[in-house]
Amino acid sequence: MKIAVVGTGYVGLVTGTCFAEVGIDVTCIDIDQKKIDNLHKGILPIYEPGLEEMVSRNVEKGRLHFSTSLAEGIKDADVAFIAVGTPPGEDGSADLKYVLAVARGIGENMNSYGVIVTKSTVPVGTAAKVRAEIEQALAKRGAAIEFDVASNPEFLKEGAAIDDFLKPDRIVVGVSSERAEEVMSKLYKPFLLNGHPIIFMDIPSAEMTKYAANSMLATKISFMNDIANLCEIMGADVNMVRKGIGSDARIGTKFIYPGIGYGGSCFPKDVKALIKTAAENGYQMQVLQAVESVNEAQKEVLFEKVSKHFGGDLKGKKMAVWGLSFKPKTDDMREAPSLVIIEKLLDAGCTVSAYDPVAMEEAKHSLGDRITYAKDEFAALIDADALLVVTEWPDFRSPNFDVVARLMKQKTIFDGRNIYDAKELHEAGFTYHCIGIKTDHKEPVA
């Protein structure tokens, strides 16, 4: 088979590369000439573990190609994926201008039957708009070319995207014809050999499935953060509570770790979009509105702990921040809690020295030179009044606390991800604050 993937961002590049990995001929298309030039040189626009090596391997094998020409890319393609961005508008709705522009371009250039698949996260009803754009473009050409539109939402976790694609929990495909179902079944056959299920459904249901899945996961996170805040007030241990409820098979252990809120490219955007879609159709998503509200408040919890510890006076204090990306194993800074925390620290008069294994260059787009970017996690600690653990990178899980203590001005840690043992740190002479556990704090430091 031959496929085209339009868009070489996170979803498009992972999708195209993983299809090439199982032997399919793939052309990834993007209007950004610099991005395509870099890809030809092996320079990727995103960080994802294992992806660089996989791209290089499949380019060398002649299965993965990059182009700025939509006409060349979709020529004789059996399937064309639309994987461009759907950024949120000011009202929270998904902006479909890039998706529809690609659909129009496909209609202007396609030369044979193909299945046009929306891979981007799009609201219910988008496939109908894609179809209309293609039909209009074909009509202008006077071309009678048959095609089908399908929806194939992605369920990729940043930092584990390759495994998620190659070994999926499930493959969801929305179709409106038997012919499209046959094409998509053939395309995904290499993944079905290992028993991974493919679920065919109508297109609107497939479009809704993506939003429903991300909104449910976001709900679990905000619920657990709400419980964590109450545990801290009441003197309960949220880690014990988490184990207690996680052992219930109906609830499970995933996405119930307390922390400082979710971020990234999916959860915040998709929750907002689903709330907006409901409002446009006369319905209020009360649970999701609460999920969003809790998450925004949770991003400020760590700063509030810092402010309280120092008696509300942070002017002139130096804060070390470990972790900038919204989660480990990615350089994605979109909606990252670190941005909220650092902005509040700076507004309060602090200086900030931060370290992240891969996200510092990306962070500079938002934070510029207002903070110091350390060469490693220990350099960030020099003369710091406190350490804030914001992203739970493996690099930070077992540091040498003797070295940490020697480097810092004050032995104070604010753990936004609950990765350390409170008893161990107290015995080592640290003042330790975390999420959802009422620790034995020392007196506030002036």
Side-chain angles (χ1 to χ4, degrees):
M1 293 186 76
K2 178 180 178 181
I3 70 171
V5 180
V6 186
T8 58
Y10 191 86
V11 173
L13 189 56
V14 171
T15 296
T17 305
C18 287
F19 274 127
E21 182 72 5
V22 297
I24 295 169
D25 188 273
V26 180
T27 300
C28 290
I29 306 159
D30 203 292
I31 61 172
D32 188 332
Q33 183 68 58
K34 183 177 180 182
K35 188 182 286 188
I36 294 299
D37 289 344
N38 281 339
L39 283 166
H40 280 135
K41 298 173 185 174
I43 303 171
L44 274 57
I46 60 170
Y47 174 80
E48 177 65 29
L51 185 60
E52 185 176 342
E53 296 84 350
M54 188 177 285
V55 167
S56 177
R57 179 168 63 251
N58 283 283
V59 168
E60 187 177 333
K61 294 284 187 180
R63 296 189 294 248
L64 182 60
H65 320 277
F66 302 107
S67 175
T68 56
S69 172
L70 183 61
E72 286 299 314
I74 67 168
K75 186 179 180 181
D76 301 323
D78 299 289
V79 180
F81 286 92
I82 301 177
V84 293
T86 54
E90 290 185 7
D91 62 356
S93 60
D95 188 342
L96 297 177
K97 64 183 177 184
Y98 302 115
V99 170
L100 299 181
V102 172
R104 190 160 52 250
I106 290 173
E108 292 168 349
N109 291 283
M110 65 190 299
N111 58 3
S112 61
Y113 172 82
V115 181
I116 316 305
V117 184
T118 52
K119 195 70 174 173
S120 306
T121 300
V122 294
V124 175
T126 299
K129 296 178 181 178
V130 167
R131 175 176 290 280
E133 289 287 345
I134 297 172
E135 287 175 342
Q136 289 173 18
L138 289 172
K140 285 183 180 180
R141 293 169 54 194
I145 300 173
E146 294 185 359
F147 70 95
D148 277 301
V149 172
S151 173
N152 177 211
E154 54 86 14
F155 301 98
L156 306 177
K157 298 187 296 293
E158 293 187 43
I162 291 175
D163 273 353
D164 285 345
F165 199 102
L166 297 177
K167 304 171 185 176
D169 292 328
R170 77 293 198 198
I171 300 164
V172 173
V173 183
V175 295
S176 58
S177 76
E178 289 185 4
R179 187 177 185 184
E181 183 172 334
E182 289 174 3
V183 171
M184 296 304 287
S185 293
K186 182 180 178 182
L187 176 64
Y188 275 110
K189 185 177 180 180
F191 304 93
L192 304 181
L193 297 176
N194 292 325
H196 306 300
I198 185 167
I199 305 170
F200 284 101
M201 59 183 70
D202 61 275
I203 292 174
S205 295
E207 292 173 328
M208 180 61 79
T209 296
K210 168 66 175 183
Y211 281 105
N214 278 354
S215 294
M216 172 57 77
L217 297 175
T219 298
K220 292 183 73 173
I221 293 170
S222 280
F223 172 80
M224 204 63 206
N225 282 332
D226 235 5
I227 292 295
N229 294 337
L230 184 59
C231 282
E232 197 165 333
I233 293 170
M234 302 301 295
D237 185 332
V238 71
N239 287 332
M240 296 297 103
V241 175
R242 175 177 55 79
K243 291 176 183 177
I245 67 172
S247 60
D248 188 324
R250 297 168 299 175
I251 297 172
T253 59
K254 296 181 179 179
F255 288 86
I256 59 170
Y257 288 82
I260 49 179
Y262 59 76
S265 61
C266 294
F267 290 2
K269 177 172 67 73
D270 292 354
V271 168
K272 285 182 173 67
L274 194 52
I275 291 171
K276 180 62 177 178
T277 297
E280 291 173 344
N281 289 275
Y283 187 76
Q284 185 179 8
M285 302 290 284
Q286 297 181 60
V287 172
L288 283 188
Q289 287 174 342
V291 166
E292 187 176 38
S293 178
V294 167
N295 190 59
E296 291 306 306
Q298 197 68 20
K299 291 181 180 182
E300 300 187 6
V301 164
L302 205 64
F303 170 79
E304 291 166 359
K305 289 177 179 290
V306 173
S307 182
K308 182 179 178 181
H309 175 80
F310 288 100
D313 182 10
L314 296 176
K315 191 173 183 179
K317 296 289 190 292
K318 179 181 178 181
M319 299 295 160
V321 173
W322 281 2
L324 292 167
S325 57
F326 87 94
K327 62 178 284 188
K329 298 183 181 180
T330 180
D331 61 351
D332 197 337
M333 290 292 299
R334 286 172 288 186
E335 302 280 346
S338 64
L339 296 176
V340 174
I341 294 166
I342 289 173
E343 290 290 354
K344 294 188 77 67
L345 290 172
L346 294 174
D347 288 345
C350 296
T351 59
V352 176
S353 180
Y355 173 74
D356 187 285
V358 302
M360 290 195 289
E361 284 302 314
E362 192 65 31
K364 290 177 183 178
H365 296 307
S366 300
L367 298 168
D369 59 1
R370 292 180 295 153
I371 69 171
T372 299
Y373 301 92
K375 65 177 182 179
D376 57 41
E377 61 266 42
F378 293 109
L381 297 173
I382 298 171
D383 293 329
D385 292 284
L387 164 63
L388 284 69
V389 180
V390 176
T391 312
E392 65 278 29
W393 282 92
D395 312 48
F396 308 149
R397 290 186 177 273
S398 300
N400 185 324
F401 285 110
D402 290 336
V403 174
V404 171
R406 287 199 302 270
L407 291 171
M408 296 180 70
K409 184 187 295 183
Q410 300 184 43
K411 295 164 62 174
T412 305
I413 296 177
F414 296 88
D415 182 358
R417 299 299 181 180
N418 288 13
I419 62 175
Y420 301 136
D421 181 89
K423 182 180 178 182
E424 177 186 347
L425 287 179
H426 286 150
E427 290 176 349
F430 284 88
T431 299
Y432 177 70
H433 306 253
C434 58
I435 306 296
I437 303 171
K438 195 171 185 179
T439 56
D440 296 324
H441 307 315
K442 294 179 180 178
E443 291 300 312
V445 179

